[in-house]
Amino acid sequence: MDRNEVEMDLNKFMAMVQEIGELKDKIRDLEDVKNNNPFQKVIFVAQAVDSWRIFPRAFLSIYMFLLYYTVMWFMDLPDPTFEQSGLISIVVGSGAAWFGLYAGTSNSSKKFKGET
């Protein structure tokens, strides 16, 4: 006999094969058990909000609305004061920060989740 050969009774071998098959079936059954999470719908909504980036887009839209109306208000002033021009420069200057936050957050959630 070679060292890779084993002497075994055929009935014992068939019993072992059947036992292995039963164990594999049991593993498949255990893997198929659905884990009913009561918060799964909330998780799906949170993933949709995260992937669609609803809040950053809403905040940017509100900023654009605010920017438009403040600039129109400023241009309608006959003689703007120093404080009024300071307000407009702050509103216009914050646009760079808003856009930087909007453009820079595309991969932050993926890095947090460990997907990249």
Side-chain angles (χ1 to χ4, degrees):
M1 242 170 104
D2 279 344
R3 78 182 249 211
N4 292 332
E5 294 178 4
V6 175
E7 229 178 277
M8 181 184 269
D9 185 27
L10 181 60
N11 292 332
K12 189 175 179 181
F13 176 73
M14 292 306 289
M16 285 177 57
V17 168
Q18 185 176 2
E19 183 181 357
I20 291 172
E22 290 171 0
L23 288 174
K24 285 182 180 180
D25 290 339
K26 195 172 191 179
I27 290 171
R28 283 189 207 107
D29 289 341
L30 289 174
E31 287 175 347
D32 287 342
V33 172
K34 292 186 178 179
N35 204 358
N36 291 332
N37 187 354
F39 301 106
Q40 191 62 42
K41 291 181 182 178
V42 176
I43 292 171
F44 287 145
V45 170
Q47 287 174 344
V49 167
D50 186 37
S51 64
W52 295 339
R53 301 176 68 198
I54 292 172
F55 289 115
R57 290 179 184 183
F59 291 147
L60 196 59
S61 299
I62 291 169
Y63 168 74
M64 291 186 326
F65 178 79
L66 174 71
L67 176 68
Y68 177 78
Y69 278 98
T70 54
V71 168
M72 290 299 153
W73 166 78
F74 184 73
M75 289 193 305
D76 285 341
L77 291 175
D79 190 23
T81 64
F82 180 72
E83 291 83 8
Q84 291 167 336
S85 63
L87 172 70
I88 294 302
S89 68
I90 288 173
V91 170
V92 171
S94 64
W98 274 109
F99 185 73
L101 287 172
Y102 176 75
T105 58
S106 62
N107 289 329
S108 65
S109 63
K110 289 182 182 177
K111 290 177 187 173
F112 177 73
K113 293 176 189 173
E115 293 178 6
T116 56

